[in-house]
Amino acid sequence: MSRPYLEDRECVERAKHGDQRAFRQLVERHRDRAYGLALRILRSAAEAEDVAQEALVRAWQALPGFRGESGFSTWLYRIVAHQSFDRLEQLKRRHQRETGVEQVAELAAPGAQHVDSSALARRLERLMAALSPVQRAALTLYYWEDRSVEEVAEALELPENTVKTHLSRARAELREAWQRTDRD
Amino acid sequence: MTERDATGRISDCAAFEAWLDDGRPAGDERMARAHAAECARCAAQWRVTLELDLALEAPPVTAPASLTERVMARVAAMRAAARADVATIGSPVARPRAADTSFSGPAAPALAWWVRAAADPAVALAMVLAALVLWRAPSLIPVAQAVGGWAMAAWRAAFPPTLALSLATLERWMPHGVVALALALALMPALAWGSWRLYLWAERTGLPSVPPSLTQH
């Protein structure tokens, strides 16, 4: 049976009162974004899938506290970003314990293959591993999710100027790395 | 902010690079183009940036199809656990729960506030205590006096004489059980308010935090 399309706001209101079908609509609408952000921060398909799932469950749990001052997607991004940063920290600690190597980015190489099939995108994904997690999150939200600096700042709970700085440095680092790989 | 010379032009490679880093603001594009036409290095940088733009236009990532079902299965499990909790209020036997069902989520607000309040163990305990005070006040007064007396003695032993002296005034009134009871009752709203603040704080700190090392670069 097909379900009527509801706006995010209406879905949220219904889900707040325990309507699971309304929440399912929200999940279906936002799961790709949640997974995409987690994937670009964590650079591992398996970890991203796990974090996206946790974040969506967490969103369900925290819905009563969601006052709707920001959009549902911005609020969800915030949860996903927090969960991803936490997971990254855990992975980093575990990796350091197990191997003594600090480069957590290496953990994720296989997952990056899922991001896109085009050569350019694969090259970019490889270069993004060198960026900081926050830079990756800011780039993902700004470019792939087409969010404004203000929305990125809200999602990552950072001042707008800090987001601008992250974006600016990320662009510069990517450009430099891109040129370097051109030469190699 | 892109640096420019006194005439407002993007005058050198550093200014051009800053313009690229700023995301190539459209207002300065004409000047940047003029600079790139004269500088091979900056022209190459621009070409790289355009390639990056192409890469950044890659189609969005698609989550595994099973993600929705797994999320909804957990949500349904939490709802079921929350319902079972409400059904077993008052049962002396604690029902074991899975780790991820320790928080019922939006199931709770679906119930009337007084049902949720009645289900709260702290409220139930407060009600039992209040009932005890109302029904057994004469029996409780000697107990309150004994506890009060013990607390005073402990206070006097722990604090300097000046404080103990000021407490002596209060102690004169303490033999009156009604005064002791009134003091105990007066403390209840303070305890309730403190508990509420503690609950709000615990709820806030329950959100995962961003490690500072990850927000700095």
Side-chain angles (χ1 to χ4, degrees), chain B residues 124-211:
Chain B
L125 182 63
M127 298 296 280
V128 168
L129 286 175
L132 211 57
V133 166
L134 286 175
W135 291 338
R136 296 286 176 193
S139 317
L140 288 173
I141 287 170
V143 177
Q145 281 176 327
V147 171
W150 174 81
M152 285 297 167
W155 188 292
R156 260 202 302 266
F159 290 96
T162 323
L163 262 179
L165 196 65
S166 64
L167 283 171
T169 319
L170 182 62
E171 196 182 7
R172 274 211 301 273
W173 292 91
M174 286 306 282
H176 299 283
V178 178
V179 176
L181 192 61
L183 280 174
L185 287 174
L187 272 175
M188 280 188 175
L191 281 173
W193 180 83
S195 305
W196 176 243
R197 299 305 303 174
L198 187 66
Y199 166 75
L200 289 179
W201 174 80
E203 195 182 42
R204 248 196 337 271
T205 52
L207 280 170
S209 60
V210 183

Side-chain angles (χ1 to χ4, degrees), chain A residues 18 49 53 86 134 171 178, chain B residues 21 51 70 79 106 209 214:
Chain A
E49 201 177 325
Q53 184 183 322
D86 278 352
V134 175
R171 285 189 202 107
W178 196 275
Chain B
D21 292 349
E51 277 181 12
R70 278 185 282 125
R79 283 292 316 254
S209 60
L214 291 169

Side-chain angles (χ1 to χ4, degrees), chain B residues 27-40:
Chain B
D28 296 332
E29 184 163 341
R30 201 174 49 80
M31 287 181 286
R33 203 174 281 279
H35 176 77
E38 298 164 1
C39 176

Side-chain angles (χ1 to χ4, degrees), chain A residues 29-153:
Chain A
R29 211 173 289 164
H30 296 283
R31 67 177 185 194
D32 288 349
R33 295 190 176 110
Y35 174 73
L37 178 59
L39 179 60
R40 290 201 165 97
I41 294 175
L42 291 160
R43 304 190 53 72
S44 160
E47 295 293 343
E49 201 177 325
D50 197 37
V51 161
Q53 184 183 322
E54 285 299 326
L56 286 162
V57 170
R58 180 85 204 179
W60 162 262
Q61 291 174 324
L63 263 180
F66 175 56
R67 283 174 296 188
E69 286 162 0
S70 60
F72 177 77
S73 60
T74 306
W75 182 69
L76 180 63
Y77 284 143
R78 196 179 305 163
I79 298 175
V80 173
H82 277 202
Q83 299 269 12
S84 301
F85 292 145
D86 278 352
R87 180 64 61 92
L88 205 55
E89 195 79 338
Q90 286 169 11
L91 289 173
K92 208 165 160 182
R93 277 199 296 269
R94 193 193 307 162
H95 199 59
Q96 280 172 343
R97 260 201 319 273
E98 288 171 1
T99 65
V101 177
E102 290 187 5
Q103 290 300 319
V104 74
E106 286 175 13
L107 287 171
Q113 301 300 318
H114 291 263
V115 173
D116 193 90
S117 56
S118 79
L120 279 180
R122 276 205 307 274
R123 186 175 169 193
L124 177 66
E125 292 296 337
R126 273 199 305 274
L127 298 181
M128 277 183 73
L131 302 180
S132 75
V134 175
Q135 283 178 342
R136 287 203 294 271
L139 274 183
T140 303
L141 292 173
Y142 187 77
Y143 286 104
W144 280 287
E145 297 300 336
D146 212 17
R147 299 284 152 167
S148 66
V149 169
E150 189 186 354
E151 286 171 317
V152 177

